[in-house]
Amino acid sequence: MMVHLRRARTSLVLDARGPGLPRVVHWGGDVGDLDDDGLRQLADATVPPVVPSSFDAPTVLSLLPEAGAGWSGRPALAGHRDRADWATAFALDGLDVDDDGDGPARVRVHAVDPGAGLSLTVELTLDPTGLLLLRHRLRNDGDTPYELRELTPVLPVPAVATELLDLTGRWCRERSPQRHPWPMGTWVREGRHGRTGHDATLLLVAGTAGFGFGHGEVWAVHTAWSGDHVTFAERRPTGEATLGGGELLTPGEVVLGPGESYATPLLYAAWSDTGLDGLSDVLHTHLRARPRHPRSPRPVTLNVWEAVYFDHDLDRLRALADRAAEVGIERFVLDDGWFRGRRDDTAGLGDWYVDEDLWPDGLDPLIAHVTGLGLQFGLWVEPEMVNPDSDVYRAHPDWVLAVPGRLPPTWRNQQVLDLAHPEAYAYLRDRLDALLTAHPGIGYLKWDHNRDLTEAGHRGRPGVHTQTEAVYRLLDELRARHLDVEIESCASGGARVDLEILARTDRVWASDCNDALERLAIQRWTGLLLPPELVGSHIGPPRSHTTGRTHDLGFRAATAFFGHYGVEWDITSATPAERAELAAWVALHKRLRPLLHTGRTVRVDHPDPAVWAHGVVAHDGSQAVYAVSRLATSVAQVPGAVRLPGLHGRRRYAVRPVPGVPAPATVQRAEPAWLPAGVTLTGAALATVGLQMPALHPEQALLLEVTAVD
């Protein structure tokens, strides 16, 4: 049987004619209208030849590559049953295809290996956007336990993909790109943090030579899992090239008893022949179509952490809320320090009761003041963590993730609660439920996670897998009980950014760094996976708390503009002029928010590394907004014109600097001729010729508004 799934210019072709698992004949660009005979001919035409010094039959790449079929690359399945049943030979036992309309097309493959006592189900879904989702389920049909060491979905990539791009990073420097030629061998990215990690690669991309944001053919995968994980690219001397990803299991972590099953995390796979922006378009469109994707306008948010830190004074916080309302902010978030014993980061985590000494009348007076101003109220929590200096730890030291007989090293003076412990889980669930029930004015939780999981033991066995599943269950239960409460995924900034945590949360905090220059890169590469409305992007204080840099308000505001907008700054210390300018930026964001949070993200491949440009274009081509940022001085006195991609080629567009906010600082004696009154050109002219920009000072940004005039 041949299977051909087609959606949004993407094809998936499977050859299920053999007795073993189906072979992936093709994943990528649409191969057109092929009947069964045409599909068979395509499959036969892509089988590799038998060459000297090789197996006597062709080695083909199935949905689960097996050594018994000649696969000598990275194992897709590794495990054993008391040192037996470590090799498999799955036989096809059934294949279901659901492809009856314009919705998702699905294939479910059933296979068995009676000798090894294992059953396998492979689930593939081709979304209407062209996004492919892949998952394996393994069941132990034997009479004895089976220890699973690895089960990893993989997909083939054609030989034309010769370069790799992925992301790495650290605290306050997340999402740093790295690219290189794709040589023979395996490029493996492993995350052993017990959370997604600051260094996690959101996407691992393989592409044709020189691919960029707007050009080149690219294939990419994302491992949707918030615990230990692996993502890899492998090229074999035998000719195969694959991308894959799954959970990274510690020995003994998953042992399947008779009849028990294990499901891999979803592997998201996307293809584009229009570069990285094409990948983003597929992913962003998929995410926006989710039933629980945020639908209401994303409220402009003030988070008080960098304004007050642990200094919780009711009058000061009320004054901060007053200023927030004056400049148009819509959500006020009280950060760390509101609960019992919390005067600094050494104590209190786990004791989720309002501190009676700090808040003798509870949180209600502040909540009432904030909501009385018309603002939403949010609260910071870090439920998965505990300080040894806390009542809950003193009462229940056995609730900590640890190996028997010793504690892991502390990190920010804290340990991790074992949420797979039923009593610890019930305590947290009930405490948070009670907190939200007692304070119905809380409409938002900033859910933090400020340490890696090290030596994370659960009842003497590795516990990252059970911890991750318990976190998902806790979030699911709380969301079911409090449907109107939104949740942010924060983890020392951007250390838990993946599509499985985002199935349960409403945005991520991209980084603890609010330095606008650093944030340009962090947000650009976070946006490779996530649409702007899911990425918290705040205007920091004039002097960055994490780098010491000083930036104009215009540069800070323009950099944060394209995400879920907010402020992380003591605006009671701002001058009247600064508050007036901030109000203008907030008003501008609100006006353009419907475009920013629904349009197509585009990024400009400009030859000068000191000039970055990006934008959002309405899907109907009616309007767009672009930012042009100068990161540093350039070798050239005047950099080349900046192209504005994504517009409809034949339509005419009026381009002008956004009105209502101060112009950025420049070094020019005279500005470009088009700038004072704007310019009207076709989309084709703007995309192929572009506009000469003013000579911006370093660390300045210009926003351009583009409107179709016919």
Side-chain angles (χ1 to χ4, degrees):
M1 178 180 180
M2 300 297 303
V3 177
H4 183 197
L5 305 183
R6 301 172 69 191
R7 293 292 186 275
R9 299 175 56 246
T10 301
S11 281
L12 174 70
V13 180
L14 302 177
D15 182 357
R17 293 177 293 172
L21 287 163
R23 174 171 76 97
V24 181
V25 176
H26 171 76
W27 160 55
D30 189 11
V31 298
D33 295 316
L34 293 178
D35 58 17
D36 285 346
D37 183 63
L39 291 170
R40 286 191 292 270
Q41 291 191 54
L42 176 66
D44 293 342
T46 56
V47 173
V50 176
V51 296
S53 188
S54 71
F55 295 103
D56 294 334
T59 300
V60 295
L61 186 69
S62 76
L63 284 169
L64 187 83
E66 297 173 287
W71 178 247
S72 58
R74 182 185 175 92
L77 169 62
H80 68 99
R81 193 190 310 275
D82 193 20
R83 296 181 293 179
D85 299 335
W86 50 271
T88 60
F90 282 103
L92 186 63
D93 192 43
L95 190 147
D96 304 315
V97 180
D98 180 7
D99 188 12
D100 292 334
D102 297 328
R106 295 183 174 90
V107 176
R108 185 182 290 253
V109 179
H110 308 278
V112 294
D113 182 348
L118 298 171
S119 297
L120 178 73
T121 301
V122 182
E123 300 168 353
L124 303 104
T125 301
L126 190 62
D127 187 85
T129 64
L131 183 68
L132 179 63
L133 290 77
L134 177 60
R135 167 175 278 157
H136 294 333
R137 297 181 186 272
L138 186 73
R139 188 181 70 213
N140 178 13
D141 294 333
D143 298 327
T144 57
Y146 179 86
E147 181 183 352
L148 182 64
R149 296 296 303 272
E150 180 165 355
L151 183 60
T152 310
V154 297
L155 287 165
V157 178
V160 294
T162 58
E163 292 186 12
L164 294 176
L165 167 72
D166 61 356
L167 308 175
T168 185
R170 58 172 174 80
W171 179 70
C172 282
R173 191 65 157 75
E174 295 90 338
R175 318 301 165 227
S176 298
Q178 52 187 14
R179 66 186 293 170
H180 54 83
W182 190 357
M184 294 295 176
T186 309
W187 177 256
V188 182
R189 296 296 312 280
E190 294 183 343
R192 302 178 184 272
H193 304 286
R195 54 182 178 175
T196 320
H198 292 100
D199 61 341
T201 178
L202 298 188
L203 288 180
L204 174 56
V205 182
T208 51
F211 69 84
F213 288 115
H215 64 277
E217 192 174 8
V218 285
W219 295 257
V221 294
H222 167 79
T223 304
W225 182 248
S226 309
D228 292 346
H229 62 281
V230 59
T231 310
F232 60 87
E234 183 171 31
R235 187 183 296 280
R236 303 289 301 153
T238 48
E240 304 93 349
T242 56
L243 297 176
E247 186 177 5
L248 184 63
L249 296 174
T250 301
E253 188 161 21
V254 173
V255 179
L256 300 177
E260 292 183 341
S261 299
Y262 167 85
T264 68
L266 277 173
L267 184 71
Y268 287 73
W271 165 86
S272 162
D273 60 357
T274 56
L276 298 173
D277 285 353
L279 291 178
S280 294
D281 193 34
V282 169
L283 288 155
H284 295 181
T285 304
H286 168 83
L287 290 169
R288 286 168 171 167
R290 300 173 303 161
R292 291 202 60 168
H293 190 77
R295 303 297 175 196
S296 61
R298 300 293 76 216
V300 180
T301 298
L302 174 72
N303 190 75
V304 306
W305 175 245
E306 292 194 18
V308 302
Y309 291 104
F310 290 104
D311 184 12
H312 283 203
D313 175 81
L314 180 58
D315 289 338
R316 184 180 180 189
L317 290 166
R318 281 171 170 162
L320 195 55
D322 291 340
R323 290 290 187 233
E326 289 172 7
V327 300
I329 286 168
E330 299 162 303
R331 175 183 283 159
F332 181 97
V333 180
L334 182 66
D335 210 289
D336 196 355
W338 56 270
F339 46 97
R340 285 181 185 168
R342 191 67 166 177
R343 301 297 183 272
D344 53 35
D345 67 1
T346 65
L349 278 179
D351 297 341
W352 300 110
Y353 297 84
V354 179
D355 192 299
E356 298 88 346
D357 295 332
L358 275 177
W359 300 93
D361 298 315
L363 294 176
D364 289 334
L366 179 61
I367 294 174
H369 186 80
V370 168
T371 57
L373 293 168
L375 279 66
Q376 300 175 25
F377 184 83
L379 194 66
W380 179 95
V381 292
E382 193 176 2
E384 297 147 79
M385 302 297 158
V386 63
N387 288 126
D389 185 3
S390 67
D391 292 340
V392 70
Y393 179 84
R394 284 184 283 270
H396 303 285
D398 57 313
W399 285 4
V400 169
L401 277 172
V403 298
R406 68 174 184 271
L407 286 174
T410 56
W411 179 318
R412 205 172 182 249
N413 307 293
Q414 62 197 50
Q415 296 288 351
V416 184
L417 283 177
D418 181 1
L419 298 192
H421 190 298
E423 293 179 10
Y425 179 92
Y427 164 77
L428 268 185
R429 179 199 60 207
D430 295 345
R431 264 292 74 227
L432 294 173
D433 180 42
L435 179 70
L436 293 171
T437 301
H439 301 90
I442 299 174
Y444 177 84
L445 290 179
K446 180 176 181 178
W447 188 298
D448 214 338
H449 183 289
N450 274 312
R451 67 157 293 165
D452 283 1
L453 276 57
T454 307
E455 287 194 318
H458 168 68
R459 294 180 176 174
R461 290 172 58 174
V464 171
H465 176 81
T466 55
Q467 179 78 0
T468 306
E469 289 189 325
V471 170
Y472 292 158
R473 190 167 66 252
L474 178 60
L475 285 164
D476 290 343
E477 280 203 61
L478 289 171
R479 294 297 293 264
R481 296 184 184 193
H482 303 276
L483 296 174
D484 295 330
V485 175
E486 294 191 1
I487 299 177
E488 172 184 89
S489 173
C490 176
S492 312
R496 189 152 67 180
V497 177
D498 64 80
L499 294 187
E500 195 60 34
I501 199 68
L502 270 164
R504 296 160 172 85
T505 54
D506 300 282
R507 78 169 203 172
V508 300
W509 184 229
S511 178
D512 280 344
C513 180
N514 284 311
D515 178 315
L517 186 62
E518 300 290 332
R519 269 284 186 148
L520 269 175
I522 292 168
Q523 291 169 191
R524 166 174 281 214
W525 293 104
T526 303
L528 191 61
L529 178 70
L530 302 182
E533 65 270 22
L534 295 182
V535 182
S537 307
H538 290 187
I539 302 168
R543 184 178 177 85
S544 169
H545 291 205
T546 57
T547 67
R549 283 197 190 99
T550 299
H551 287 130
D552 293 346
L553 175 54
F555 186 58
R556 287 146 46 213
T559 297
F561 194 77
F562 286 78
H564 183 169
Y565 215 34
V567 177
E568 198 99 5
W569 173 24
D570 181 5
I571 54 176
T572 63
S573 66
T575 66
E578 287 175 321
R579 292 199 300 273
E581 183 179 348
L582 178 60
W585 279 103
V586 170
L588 178 65
H589 178 82
K590 289 179 180 178
R591 179 171 70 82
L592 292 175
R593 179 167 56 188
L595 165 64
L596 294 169
H597 294 170
T598 63
R600 182 175 186 266
T601 296
V602 295
R603 287 152 291 212
V604 177
D605 293 299
H606 195 277
D608 189 333
V611 177
W612 277 18
H614 61 97
V616 174
V617 182
H619 286 281
D620 65 1
S622 61
Q623 62 178 146
V625 60
Y626 296 88
V628 181
S629 301
R630 176 64 74 89
L631 279 64
T633 59
S634 299
V635 175
Q637 186 171 0
V638 178
V642 173
R643 296 173 172 180
L644 304 181
L647 302 168
H648 290 191
R650 295 184 179 182
R651 298 185 73 172
R652 296 173 68 248
Y653 292 91
V655 184
R656 62 170 183 166
V658 293
V661 294
T666 67
V667 296
Q668 64 207 19
R669 293 180 59 190
E671 58 193 8
W674 68 270
L675 196 58
V679 65
T680 299
L681 291 169
T682 63
L686 292 168
T688 58
V689 179
L691 299 174
Q692 183 62 61
M693 294 297 158
L696 299 175
H697 274 304
E699 298 171 24
Q700 296 285 317
L702 173 69
L703 260 60
L704 300 174
E705 187 171 3
V706 180
T707 307
V709 296
D710 59 10

